[in-house]
Amino acid sequence: MNLSIEDFDYELPSELIAQHPSETRSGSRLLCVGASLADRRFFELPQLLAPGDLLVFNNTKVIKARLFGHKETGGHIEVLIERVLSAHEALAQVHAGRAAKPGSMLRLAGGLDVRVLGRAQEFYHLRFPGSGTVLELLERHGSVPLPPYVSRAPRGEDEQRYQTVYARSSGAVAAPTAGLHFDEPLLAALAERGVEFAYVTLHVGAGTFQPVRVKNLAKHRMHRERYAIPEATVAALEAAKGRGGRIVAVGTTTVRCLEASAAVHGAPVAGAADTDLFITPGFEFRVVDRLVTNFHLPKSTLLLLVSSFAGVEPIRRAYRHAIEQRYRFYSYGDAMLLDKLS
């Protein structure tokens, strides 16, 4: 398809950008997108899946990745961790009046003295002090990294609600937001329905919010992200396919994880790897049959992914409908259940 990034733009009234989570996780709205559109509630999901289907979740856990402080010269700074590299080192975005120089020190919240080791493209390579691991220090002194379109400071509720109920593996700096709609009663109802569960891990980076800045999609380069697929998940995928069940990915990160592995090996294999897979229209999906996802930013790689999965025109139609019906958008917003374009 001869498409440019301009084909994935749309106008969204600012009041539809959700600034707070829904009253209950599974009480959010759910737009079903297939041959037609249907307005449902998320707690109705068990009725929309069949016994033997397999839900695959991303169990990454959001870390308190945002820190504030100042440089040695006194200028105020904001640090957003992008990726934890080791016990004491991380890549981060550093927002300051002037670029931080290699060798300089950043004085962050809690008296943390963090040294700038150098640059890695648009990120800074930082070394944290030995008074704890990066994750431990962030938990003590950091704050919840709400997305840039949430125009308020984090509150106590965000520590719980900007986290899935099944989060296990710390490392994400943005939530896999499709999973925010699941609560324990809904998981129990799905299990009673005969739907099975499996998990992967992909630590979401802040790059998920970055728009595509080139018109020619072939020139865009994705940030690399680390993912892991357990052997139990590979077995669950094979068993589901064998019994005729559908593979239902919860979130675009789960799609990228499963399809990245399949693109390399022909089918998902157990193990850990990095991926910079960029899914655009024409991509051949080998694993995922249905997708639970939120609404995505204009000109974003995630909007391209869902358009690739469900079809460009069906997604355009769905977004027009969602705006007309006043759905809530983005991380704390409502969800869609997409059928794969046949």
Side-chain angles (χ1 to χ4, degrees), residues 162-177:
Y162 196 61
Q163 194 82 266
T164 64
V165 297
Y166 49 79
R168 295 293 182 271
S169 179
S170 295
V173 302
T177 54

Side-chain angles (χ1 to χ4, degrees), residues 6-232:
E6 301 300 329
D7 295 303
F8 299 90
D9 196 8
Y10 66 92
E11 294 291 331
L12 179 70
S14 60
E15 66 271 17
L16 296 186
I17 301 174
Q19 298 296 310
H20 300 274
S22 58
E23 186 174 344
T24 62
R25 290 180 184 266
S26 60
S28 55
R29 298 169 75 184
L30 178 66
L31 177 59
C32 298
V33 182
S36 60
L37 301 176
D39 299 303
R40 309 291 289 263
R41 289 285 174 178
F42 204 87
F43 58 72
E44 298 178 89
L45 186 62
Q47 303 169 31
L48 305 172
L49 303 181
D53 285 350
L54 178 70
L55 276 170
V56 187
F57 301 92
N58 180 4
N59 67 2
T60 188
K61 187 174 184 178
V62 179
I63 58 178
K64 295 181 179 179
R66 182 168 277 119
L67 296 156
F68 297 93
H70 59 267
K71 296 190 292 184
E72 290 176 304
T73 54
H76 290 286
I77 57 171
E78 177 184 340
V79 172
L80 179 62
I81 301 299
E82 167 69 17
R83 182 170 176 174
V84 177
L85 299 175
S86 65
H88 300 290
E89 295 183 12
L91 295 180
Q93 298 176 14
V94 177
H95 300 289
R98 293 184 179 180
K101 296 179 180 180
S104 64
M105 196 73 75
L106 309 178
R107 172 60 64 90
L108 303 179
L112 291 180
D113 286 327
V114 174
R115 185 169 296 282
V116 179
L117 298 180
R119 294 292 294 267
Q121 298 178 323
E122 70 267 46
F123 301 116
Y124 287 83
H125 187 180
L126 305 180
R127 181 168 181 81
F128 281 70
S131 53
T133 66
V134 173
L135 292 176
E136 290 168 346
L137 294 173
L138 290 174
E139 181 62 28
R140 285 182 222 152
H141 306 296
S143 62
V144 177
L146 290 180
Y149 44 72
V150 175
S151 56
R152 62 175 177 81
R155 300 176 181 175
E157 67 170 353
D158 296 306
E159 292 194 19
Q160 178 200 14
R161 295 299 301 274
Y162 196 61
Q163 194 82 266
T164 64
V165 297
Y166 49 79
R168 295 293 182 271
S169 179
S170 295
V173 302
T177 54
L180 299 180
H181 304 281
F182 290 84
D183 52 26
E184 296 296 350
L186 178 58
L187 292 172
L190 287 161
E192 186 176 352
R193 171 73 168 160
V195 175
E196 298 194 2
F197 306 150
Y199 299 89
V200 298
T201 304
L202 185 147
H203 294 318
V204 191
T208 189
F209 303 116
Q210 296 299 316
V212 177
R213 303 187 192 281
V214 292
K215 287 189 176 183
N216 184 348
L217 298 178
K219 293 184 178 180
H220 179 73
R221 293 293 175 265
M222 296 283 288
H223 291 155
R224 297 187 72 82
E225 294 174 305
R226 190 73 173 167
Y227 72 86
I229 303 177
E231 289 187 6

